[in-house]
Amino acid sequence: MNTVKQGDRVITAIHYEDTRNKLRIASVEVYDYDGQYLVRRTTLTRQEVISAIRNRNQRFVTAYKRNGQWHWGEDVRAFTRNGRDYIRTDANNIEADNLGDLPEF
């Protein structure tokens, strides 16, 4: 189980550029974690998430809602391959975004 800290950004849903292909995420639904609750929902582009991770000023994790309760997922990491940026929760350097089975919006 992931340890989430106050100030972390929590990704709870995703929107793909092409909902049939699902290789590139266009945007994500993000909450701020205040140490107790998920607050201030916003939408960020994939590039905004990548920039925030690379600038090391924000940490992103995923979260899933089951039976009305939030469950922490995995850390989100950014990497570049063949000149294109991606975000993933696993250690694979596959040329596709992958944040697990988050719902789409």
Side-chain angles (χ1 to χ4, degrees), residues 83-95:
R84 294 188 81 175
D85 295 325
Y86 300 95
I87 52 177
R88 297 186 69 88
T89 56
D90 59 26
N92 295 330
N93 285 338
I94 297 170
E95 293 183 49

Side-chain angles (χ1 to χ4, degrees), residues 19-56:
T19 57
R20 293 164 292 156
N21 196 350
K22 296 187 179 184
L23 294 177
R24 289 187 62 84
I25 293 171
S27 57
V28 294
E29 180 180 83
V30 178
Y31 288 87
D32 294 326
Y33 183 62
D34 72 358
Q36 188 172 6
Y37 299 105
L38 298 181
V39 297
R40 293 180 293 280
R41 183 179 69 184
T42 189
T43 301
L44 297 177
T45 66
R46 183 172 88 290
Q47 196 56 51
E48 288 172 321
V49 172
I50 290 167
S51 294
I53 291 170
R54 289 199 172 137
N55 291 336
R56 300 194 190 285

Side-chain angles (χ1 to χ4, degrees), residues 64-71:
Y64 304 85
K65 197 168 199 177
R66 291 188 192 113
N67 300 322
Q69 299 271 336
W70 286 107
H71 299 273

